[in-house]
Amino acid sequence: MSEKSPKEIVVEFMQSKAKQKSKFYFNDLAALFPDMKQRDAKKLINQLVNEGVLVYWSSGSTTMYGLPGTGKQAGAEGEE
């Protein structure tokens, strides 16, 4: 069986935690790739945002990441 892609690892992690939380800090996601440098993990996460797999969420003081259309703000932000 083939190894999972980084994209699959991130999406499966977020879906498995969806009942508890819908937004994650960069460090939560970077921890999924312990052998990866922070800079490379940041590039990977940004690539997933650019592809529409993840979305940014910002409170103004912190940036978090989530799956599109999840979380309490999804309806209020006009997302589907």
Side-chain angles (χ1 to χ4, degrees), residues 23-77:
K23 306 282 188 286
F24 297 86
Y25 292 104
F26 167 74
N27 288 340
D28 296 334
L29 302 178
L32 298 172
F33 308 101
D35 298 334
M36 191 180 283
K37 292 179 181 174
Q38 288 273 352
R39 183 176 179 159
D40 292 331
K42 187 76 170 174
K43 285 181 186 177
L44 170 68
I45 301 303
N46 285 335
Q47 180 182 353
L48 295 177
V49 170
N50 290 336
E51 292 173 3
V53 176
L54 300 179
V55 293
Y56 283 120
W57 180 86
S58 177
S59 66
S61 62
T62 188
T63 299
M64 298 179 85
Y65 302 89
L67 294 171
T70 60
K72 293 178 183 172
Q73 285 86 13
E77 294 171 359

